[in-house]
Amino acid sequence: MLRVVFFGPPGAGKGTQAKLLERKFGACQVSTGEILRKAARAESPLGKQTSSYLARGDLVPDDVMVKLVAERLKEPDCGSGFILDGFPRTIAQADDLEHMLKQNGQPLASALCLNAPDDVLIKRLSGRRTCKKCGGLFHVVFNPSAKPGVCDRCGGELYQREDDHEEQIAARLRVYEEQTAPLKEYYRGRGLLREIDGVGSVDEVRERVSRALGDGAK
Ligand code: AMP
């Protein structure tokens, strides 16, 4: 059963690769960013509480995120494995996750870190288009949808995320280096870290992800 976390700088390809793994293994993709964006659009209490963090490219406080993930992992579809996409993002979140999974008897198979240099990340993020309905990911140059502004998968509306603009991209890259990159040492120390080169085509990166998962995917 697949139980993994995906981390890496924004634009490294976590969402794209997590969606591919979800289809391949029948494990559920838990994208914390997507959950928060949906909450913001629905103007739910969670959305109202967190939308300003998203707009700035800042991290939402740990206690809010840990509670959200703990509840999501209890849902039945996560019983067949999960791919955490964008969580944890701080050492405190990683500690809480470890504790949570220990209690449930569901240890992580691996922590996948997708890497790419800043110039690649900036190009990917600034041209990215996201489906409002299913979270599908496109790019105006590298992976355009068949019909501009319309999702190939579900027909939903494509939009440019508020945090995929220049100023917010720079803030998110900084936040990643300061708060999330230390997870590499954290997971290396536990023997779980798999670093993956995220530069190249979606298929090339998918091959590397498969290789990195190795036995952990069985
Ligand atoms: P993402 O879609 O993964 O790029 O996440 C978009 C935004 O959601 C981030 O810039 C944060 O504001 C927020 N977010 C998502 N996951 C987390 C997390 N694990 N901890 C804190 N904030 C998060």
Side-chain angles (χ1 to χ4, degrees):
M1 189 184 299
L2 195 69
R3 280 194 296 262
V4 295
V5 304
F6 250 120
F7 69 103
K14 301 182 291 291
T16 301
Q17 296 298 330
K19 278 190 177 40
L20 293 171
L21 285 182
E22 175 177 61
R23 269 180 245 158
K24 184 167 169 190
F25 292 99
C28 79
Q29 175 197 12
V30 175
S31 161
T32 44
E34 202 52 48
I35 295 172
L36 295 171
R37 280 187 290 281
K38 281 204 175 127
R41 275 201 293 279
E43 297 183 20
S44 70
L46 175 70
K48 285 188 185 146
Q49 188 187 4
T50 58
S51 61
S52 64
Y53 293 94
L54 268 77
R56 289 194 303 269
D58 279 344
L59 294 187
V60 170
D62 289 335
D63 56 334
V64 177
M65 295 310 301
V66 168
K67 190 161 161 258
L68 186 157
V69 169
E71 278 168 17
R72 181 67 187 87
L73 289 180
K74 278 190 213 139
E75 287 175 33
D77 59 335
C78 290
S80 50
F82 54 78
I83 305 142
L84 282 173
D85 160 16
F87 182 94
R89 263 176 155 97
T90 64
I91 300 280
Q93 291 179 11
D95 274 338
D96 281 346
L97 176 68
E98 188 172 66
H99 183 68
M100 211 187 292
L101 296 179
K102 207 173 195 172
Q103 277 186 333
N104 303 346
Q106 298 181 314
L108 282 181
S110 36
L112 306 168
C113 177
L114 269 182
N115 292 310
D118 281 3
D119 60 329
V120 171
L121 301 172
I122 291 165
K123 272 191 209 128
R124 286 184 183 168
L125 291 169
S126 52
R128 177 157 79 177
R129 296 294 180 271
T130 305
C131 175
K132 272 193 181 164
K133 207 161 141 197
C134 74
L137 296 167
F138 298 85
H139 188 282
V140 288
V141 179
F142 308 139
N143 177 31
S145 58
K147 206 169 150 201
V150 181
C151 177
D152 288 348
R153 279 169 46 197
C154 76
E157 183 194 340
L158 301 183
Y159 77 117
Q160 182 170 23
R161 277 170 48 176
E162 195 176 1
D163 58 351
D164 280 345
H165 292 94
E166 204 178 323
E167 195 180 319
Q168 287 85 345
I169 291 173
R172 288 160 67 206
L173 291 172
R174 256 195 326 271
V175 166
Y176 174 75
E177 280 309 322
E178 286 166 12
Q179 304 198 52
T180 309
L183 288 178
K184 285 189 206 178
E185 282 314 311
Y186 181 92
Y187 284 121
R188 187 177 287 127
R190 286 159 171 74
L192 293 174
L193 182 71
R194 308 281 179 271
E195 287 203 84
I196 300 163
D197 177 7
V199 179
S201 68
V202 171
D203 276 347
E204 282 165 345
V205 178
R206 187 185 46 176
E207 275 296 310
R208 291 178 205 140
V209 170
S210 284
R211 273 202 302 275
L213 282 173
D215 288 347
K218 291 195 182 116

